[in-house]
Structures are given as C-alpha cells and as structure tokens.
Amino acid sequence: AFLYFYYFWKERLTATGRVLAVFLFFSLFFVWVPGAFAVKAFLLTASAFLLVSIFTLFPLKKIAVRHVQIPPVKEGDAAKISAKIQAEKNFAAVKLGCFRMHPALKFQDEEKYESLRPSEEKEFFAFVRTSRRGAFEIPSVAAVVPNALGITSILKPASGNFELVVQPRAIPVGQIH
C-alpha cells in the first residue's frame, strides 16, 4: 500500500496537488478547534477539489504513444528519450514523462507542456540524467496530461519494454609505462 501511495504521489499528483494534499493532512488538526470556520470552509473546498481531481483519473483512450527511442549515452550525461504522440481529440497540454526508474537515473521534469491537435503526430522529448554506467530498465514511458484543475495528471503509458544503456565515459590516460 505504501509503494502504491509513493508511485501515486510521484506520478499522478502535480506540484499543486502535493501542496494541497499536505495542507489537507495538517489542516485536519483544525477540525477539532472550536470556531475556525474559515479554516473548515477552506478544508471542505480544498478536499472537494482534490477528490474530484482524483476521481477523474480515467485512462486516456484517445491518445497513443508510439516509436519510443532511447539512444545510448555516456555516464554523467543526460539521455534524450523521444516518442511520437498522436491524439484523436484536442489536448491543451501534453508532455512526455519517464517513471519508476532505477535510483541512479533522475527524470528532469521541466514542466514544458505542448498542445496537441486531432490527428496530429508530434515528437516529444524527455531527459533522464545518468549517474553511473550500466543497462537500466525504464518501466514506464508515458504521455502526461494534466486534468482541468491542474491538481493531478493522467498517464497514458507506451507499450513495450524499454532499456537505457549508459556507457562508461572515456578516462584520459596521461602516460602508460
């Protein structure tokens, strides 16, 4: 249950959603304070927004993630993951994200959303910072679409297994005896 909550926290909640969830947790202590009607009204409104956003996390069927390419990179560099996303309807904000990766890989989330029109196939990029060499599995490469309130994100993962190969960087040799 904790692992599911961790993945939900990292993947599905935006920065606004995380702040709202933390505020709701700490504001539960104000429910027992006599009076404090403004805090209770805000608590009720914020919890309604959060619950509505969570219950609208339906899987997207009108968007497809295809042609995921992950070229090999050198140790310490950022990998540029590309994928083509096609939509059947208009989306105001879409970006590419990578989730559930090895701890040596860090997804660089720069919050650059782009619009996508119907029947348009556009290439999106995601950057993953590497810290050591090896072959790493990337279990989830997905299109990220924020909901209308901006509290949660809806994910449409690409099908397939993806692997990032991180090659060792060149070490300059000054002199060999």
Side-chain angles (χ1 to χ4, degrees):
F2 285 124
L3 191 59
Y4 179 76
F5 178 73
Y6 173 76
Y7 284 138
F8 183 82
W9 181 267
K10 295 292 274 182
E11 296 172 2
R12 299 294 179 130
L13 289 179
T14 62
T16 307
R18 290 185 198 120
V19 168
L20 189 60
V22 169
F23 173 75
L24 288 175
F25 175 72
F26 286 117
S27 65
L28 289 176
F29 298 112
F30 287 104
V31 172
W32 305 109
V33 175
F37 295 114
V39 173
K40 291 177 184 178
F42 187 76
L43 173 68
L44 181 65
T45 306
S47 60
F49 281 142
L50 187 63
L51 288 176
V52 166
S53 295
I54 289 174
F55 285 123
T56 59
L57 288 176
F58 54 90
L60 293 172
K61 295 180 181 173
K62 300 192 182 296
I63 193 166
V65 182
R66 299 184 183 125
H67 307 295
V68 177
Q69 295 178 352
I70 306 175
V73 295
K74 298 283 184 194
E75 179 181 6
D77 293 340
K80 186 177 183 180
I81 299 170
S82 66
K84 292 186 179 178
I85 300 176
Q86 185 177 15
E88 293 180 14
K89 70 174 200 170
N90 193 17
F91 287 100
V94 179
K95 74 174 184 176
L96 187 67
C98 301
F99 305 102
R100 302 184 185 195
M101 297 181 294
H102 190 274
L105 305 176
K106 301 291 180 200
F107 174 60
Q108 294 177 338
D109 193 11
E110 293 153 1
E111 298 288 331
K112 292 186 180 178
Y113 291 99
E114 295 183 35
S115 63
L116 198 60
R117 286 182 261 140
S119 302
E120 177 185 19
E121 187 175 55
K122 195 184 272 189
E123 189 169 16
F124 287 83
F125 300 101
F127 296 94
V128 175
R129 175 71 57 192
T130 62
S131 63
R132 64 180 193 202
R133 62 182 175 227
F136 300 101
E137 181 183 0
I138 300 180
S140 180
V141 176
V144 180
V145 180
N147 71 345
L149 295 174
I151 296 173
T152 56
S153 296
I154 304 165
L155 302 179
K156 175 63 175 179
S159 60
N161 298 324
F162 307 107
E163 184 178 65
L164 172 63
V165 177
V166 181
Q167 300 168 344
R169 71 182 129 181
I171 300 172
V173 178
Q175 185 177 16
I176 298 177
H177 296 287

